[in-house]
Amino acid sequence: MDRRRALKNIGLSLGGLTISSTVAGLLQSCQSNAAVIWTPTFFSQAEAEIVAKTLEVILPVTEDIPGALDLNLAQFIDGYMKVIPPEEERLAFKAGIEQYLTTTLETTGKKEAVDLTLEDIDGRLAYYLKATDDQKKTWSVELGAAQQEDGAVPSPDAANFGILKSLRGKGIDAFKMNEYIGEEVMAYSPIPGQQKGCVDLEATTGGMAWSL
């Protein structure tokens, strides 16, 4: 993989997950194989480690809702990225995760991804996703310019910002697609009733979004 060229296209990976029969099959597989030891097919083992931990910080377990690790979201995204997006997007996402792993290890002083704690990851997420609006805009402009300009490559910070936005979006989409979340946490109706326009969501579902 030409990592420099792939990093130029991190902006391509910012879209959400698409739903198809293949995606439904991946979801079913991840949900039914919770106890099976997972061997990643798209990520390296170290990349899978940091992706899983990052998703758990973004979507942690609570008293009554399972978190990303319990729902196998990293496993699902690994399978999704292996077979669904076009090659250019897959390469960009892979390069972005590699960049994020490298800089996270350098910043925390850890040698291996397995040594990273959730506190380490939380600090990285706060640095990028809780940055000032001006800083986020600067990184976003840099990502866009890299796609347009020959020879331009985003800085490590801009690349990390882009890949974390992408991973967060994909993780949230995968969370909402999960069968348990859809049926037990979100507003769910297996047989939709009548449509009611302009009705307050709080009054109809207690403020919960409808299941996908």
Side-chain angles (χ1 to χ4, degrees), residues 27-78:
L27 280 167
Q28 182 63 38
S29 175
C30 291
Q31 290 163 181
S32 61
N33 293 316
V36 176
I37 296 176
W38 170 42
T39 300
T41 58
F42 176 75
F43 298 121
S44 69
Q45 195 64 52
E47 291 160 5
E49 181 81 20
I50 196 172
V51 165
K53 289 177 177 177
T54 300
L55 290 171
E56 183 66 10
V57 172
I58 294 171
L59 295 163
V61 62
T62 65
E63 184 177 342
D64 53 356
I65 301 177
L69 289 177
D70 294 326
L71 297 173
N72 293 327
L73 299 191
Q75 180 178 342
F76 169 68
I77 291 175
D78 176 74

Side-chain angles (χ1 to χ4, degrees), residues 39-175:
T39 300
T41 58
F42 176 75
F43 298 121
S44 69
Q45 195 64 52
E47 291 160 5
E49 181 81 20
I50 196 172
V51 165
K53 289 177 177 177
T54 300
L55 290 171
E56 183 66 10
V57 172
I58 294 171
L59 295 163
V61 62
T62 65
E63 184 177 342
D64 53 356
I65 301 177
L69 289 177
D70 294 326
L71 297 173
N72 293 327
L73 299 191
Q75 180 178 342
F76 169 68
I77 291 175
D78 176 74
Y80 179 94
M81 294 304 301
K82 177 73 173 180
V83 300
I84 301 298
E87 181 180 15
E88 196 171 31
E89 182 179 333
R90 292 201 307 270
L91 293 176
F93 193 81
K94 175 81 168 175
I97 294 297
E98 289 178 357
Q99 177 74 72
Y100 168 51
L101 173 61
T102 298
T103 55
T104 298
L105 291 175
E106 291 173 350
T107 301
T108 60
K110 301 296 177 64
K111 292 184 178 181
E112 305 289 344
V114 70
D115 299 325
L116 292 169
T117 66
L118 296 184
E119 289 73 21
D120 292 330
I121 300 299
D122 188 52
R124 294 283 76 204
L125 286 172
Y127 179 80
Y128 293 109
L129 300 183
K130 294 183 179 179
T132 65
D133 289 342
D134 286 345
Q135 181 60 78
K136 291 178 182 178
K137 182 177 180 180
T138 297
W139 286 331
S140 296
V141 169
E142 191 177 336
L143 289 171
Q147 283 186 259
Q148 302 298 322
E149 300 174 14
D150 290 339
V153 176
S155 66
D157 274 346
N160 288 341
F161 172 68
I163 205 63
L164 286 174
K165 280 186 63 180
S166 179
L167 182 58
R168 178 179 62 181
K170 287 175 170 57
I172 291 172
D173 283 349
F175 180 84

